[in-house]
Amino acid sequence: MTPGEVLPPRVPKSARLGRNLFAAIAVGLSMGAIILSSLLIVRQFFVAVLAVSAAIATWELAGALRRGAGIEVPLPVVLVGGQAMIWLAWPFGTAGLAGSFALTMVATLLWRMRGGASHYVRDVTATVFTAAYVPLCCGFAVLMTVAPDGLGRVLTFMLPVIASDVGGYAAGVLFGRHPMAPTISPKKSWEGFAGSQLAGMATGALCVHLFLGGPWLVGVLTGSLLVISATLGDLVESMIKRDLGIKDMGNLLPGHGGMMDRLDSLLPTAVVAWLVLSVLVPV
């Protein structure tokens, strides 16, 4: 140290981690316990978990759009329509999901007319986006839940995503050197993505073989595709938050942000998982 040189301020460990790590772990374990218990007791209870989660995430996304861009999403329409998508997907499958989404879109067009022509297209477009992004995607998780082998399908959908998070975090911390999308999510690296792929493919292979009786190679492919969709889902939400100028969608979950911040990778992955498993491991 040369005379007059000033040492840089010491960065607290919690600041380097970016969030309260212990709170994040506690909340993550609690959420995992709720999901697992709802699936194991009566797996249809998981539909109720999805319905509550979708409602909270919809509320958060609508609030973020209002705070960040002044966009008014008619909550009565999108909340009621969202619950219709979740619950009608249970007995009526894709027809119930698609029909309730279409009715939500029509109701949005009519409801927003009450506010006049100013920003009509903007608000309607944002509302349809909100309905598609949250409850419609959640509806595909419902379709997997109520299948005869629903427990295995939901676990095959969720466990590779969890493994992807863990593997990506570990590989990123240990080996991360090359940013994947520095302008969107500076902490993501290609090394972390490789760790996510390895963990996701291994978990996908185990889940498809053990829970669904499918071939190992199908599980490897499934895990790889779910990791890709989960990673892209996380980047999409990061892009939305950057556009709106916010850090988190909400503050409901200590160490995690809002419910929407936890569902970002799962929402698009539910669609991919339902499609891939329907084709490669049909009921």
Side-chain angles (χ1 to χ4, degrees), residues 34-67:
I34 292 172
I35 291 170
L36 189 59
S37 61
S38 66
L39 284 169
L40 293 178
I41 296 173
V42 177
R43 71 172 185 274
Q44 283 79 0
F45 285 173
F46 185 56
V47 177
V49 174
L50 290 171
V52 173
S53 300
I56 295 172
T58 299
W59 184 286
E60 289 177 344
L61 180 55
L65 291 169
R66 183 179 62 255
R67 295 192 308 273

Side-chain angles (χ1 to χ4, degrees), residues 74-253:
L75 276 170
V77 173
V78 76
L79 286 175
V80 172
Q83 292 303 297
M85 291 179 222
I86 299 295
W87 292 107
L88 292 181
W90 180 350
F92 301 114
T94 54
L97 182 59
S100 51
F101 174 71
L103 289 175
T104 301
M105 181 181 66
V106 172
T108 297
L109 294 169
L110 299 176
W111 182 283
R112 181 54 184 79
M113 290 175 65
R114 300 161 64 245
S118 179
H119 302 305
Y120 178 82
V121 173
R122 182 198 68 181
D123 292 347
V124 165
T125 303
T127 303
V128 174
F129 162 72
T130 300
Y133 189 20
V134 183
L136 181 63
C137 287
C138 275
F140 286 91
V142 175
L143 296 177
M144 289 186 284
T145 303
V146 299
D149 53 355
L151 175 60
R153 288 181 182 268
V154 172
L155 291 177
T156 302
F157 149 54
M158 298 193 73
L159 291 180
V161 177
I162 296 172
S164 170
D165 284 345
V166 175
Y169 178 80
V173 169
L174 294 174
F175 309 111
R177 296 293 183 273
H178 300 88
M180 175 183 287
T183 61
I184 303 174
S185 184
K187 293 183 179 180
K188 285 192 179 299
S189 66
W190 286 108
E191 292 82 2
F193 179 69
S196 292
Q197 278 288 353
L198 290 174
M201 288 189 291
T203 306
L206 288 171
C207 289
V208 167
H209 183 70
L210 296 177
F211 298 147
L212 302 177
W216 291 96
L217 287 179
V218 169
V220 171
L221 176 60
T222 299
S224 178
L225 292 174
L226 297 189
V227 169
I228 292 172
S229 65
T231 302
L232 292 176
D234 187 52
L235 290 174
V236 164
E237 202 220 14
S238 295
M239 181 69 82
I240 293 171
K241 290 191 290 189
R242 283 186 175 277
D243 184 29
L244 297 177
I246 59 176
K247 181 181 179 182
D248 293 318
M249 290 289 185
N251 55 12
L252 176 67
L253 306 173

Side-chain angles (χ1 to χ4, degrees), residues 11-22 169 173 187 255:
V11 180
K13 183 177 181 181
S14 60
R16 296 198 302 271
L17 291 172
R19 296 186 186 275
N20 187 325
L21 182 60
F22 295 107
Y169 178 80
V173 169
K187 293 183 179 180

